[in-house]
Amino acid sequence: MSILTKEFYDRNTLTVARDLLGRDIVRVLEDGTQLECRITETEAYIGRLDKACHAYGYRRTARTQTLFAPPGTAYIYLIYGMYHCLNFVTEGEGEPAAVLIRGAVPVKNGDIIAKKRFGCKQEAMSAYQQKNFLNGPGKLCRGLDLTRAQNGLDLTASAGGLYVCTGSPPASKAVKTGRRIGIDYAQEAVNFPWRFYL
């Protein structure tokens, strides 16, 4: 499988959010081990008009600076002081927009991912753990050992140890849309149907 290029991310954020479903995130650990997950859920955030976006109205802070980076950059931030969230910067450089990766399923080295999440191999996971394995942005980052240390990585090259491959995009009829989760503060943006999932 080939790595998704800058051109893939340099498009309308809603298009990218839908098109990321079925693609494979590859995380290369320091010892060279590759963890791989298939994306099953995304959310789009567009700063120029979206009150749920950290850079709404082109607001630049130390936290949001990465949102203005070139398309295909990893934007990782911390919420509630404990959970990391993985986003992929989209659209042209200077246009703050990104796709949050909300959920995935393991494809390669699931036992290592399970160990990072629950301290056990996949086969030893309880039914509850299986149901809640990587079905949230914080859970995904924990399973892939992603933190703010990977913020700003170029997703279009393998050198940084984090990239996305072509994977297996689903049939369009398999893709569902809905309202995004956990943005009750965002006024009218609460109702934007910018969540995509399988």
Side-chain angles (χ1 to χ4, degrees):
M1 291 187 294
S2 56
I3 297 174
L4 298 181
T5 65
K6 179 179 178 180
E7 288 70 32
F8 176 91
Y9 301 98
D10 192 7
R11 299 182 293 160
N12 176 280
T13 304
L14 297 175
T15 301
V16 177
R18 177 184 288 270
D19 204 9
L20 278 166
L21 295 174
R23 311 291 184 168
D24 290 353
I25 301 172
V26 178
R27 167 78 164 115
V28 183
L29 302 178
E30 287 186 7
D31 65 1
T33 302
Q34 287 191 2
L35 309 180
E36 192 170 332
C37 293
R38 185 152 295 154
I39 299 170
T40 58
E41 186 177 0
T42 63
E43 289 180 349
Y45 290 86
I46 303 172
R48 63 182 170 273
L49 54 86
D50 177 12
K51 291 178 181 173
C53 182
H54 294 160
Y56 171 64
Y58 296 89
R59 181 175 61 242
R60 282 184 188 250
T61 65
R63 181 193 201 193
T64 66
Q65 187 61 35
T66 307
L67 276 170
F68 295 85
T73 300
Y75 170 48
I76 302 178
Y77 59 87
L78 189 67
I79 57 170
Y80 311 127
M82 63 177 78
Y83 302 116
H84 289 91
C85 295
L86 172 64
N87 300 256
F88 301 154
V89 175
T90 56
E91 304 193 19
E93 185 172 359
E95 190 63 43
V99 175
L100 170 67
I101 309 304
R102 279 205 62 86
V105 293
V107 172
K108 183 177 180 181
N109 281 321
D111 282 344
I112 297 173
I113 298 169
K115 195 139 192 173
K116 291 183 178 298
R117 276 284 286 128
F118 299 115
C120 65
K121 291 187 176 182
Q122 269 188 284
E123 62 187 23
M125 287 165 49
S126 68
Y128 176 83
Q129 289 171 331
Q130 290 171 20
K131 182 180 177 183
N132 295 281
F133 192 5
L134 302 173
N135 64 337
K139 300 170 187 177
L140 176 65
C141 282
R142 182 166 291 177
L144 293 180
D145 196 24
L146 293 170
T147 67
R148 285 276 300 162
Q150 287 75 46
N151 181 55
L153 285 180
D154 180 2
L155 297 164
T156 66
S158 61
L162 181 64
Y163 52 92
V164 184
C165 291
T166 48
S168 301
S172 58
K173 63 183 179 181
V175 177
K176 309 295 183 188
T177 60
R179 293 171 20 163
R180 294 170 295 177
I181 296 169
I183 57 163
D184 295 342
Y185 58 86
Q187 299 178 358
E188 73 280 355
V190 167
N191 296 312
F192 294 174
W194 289 1
R195 175 173 163 248
F196 304 90
Y197 59 99
L198 300 176

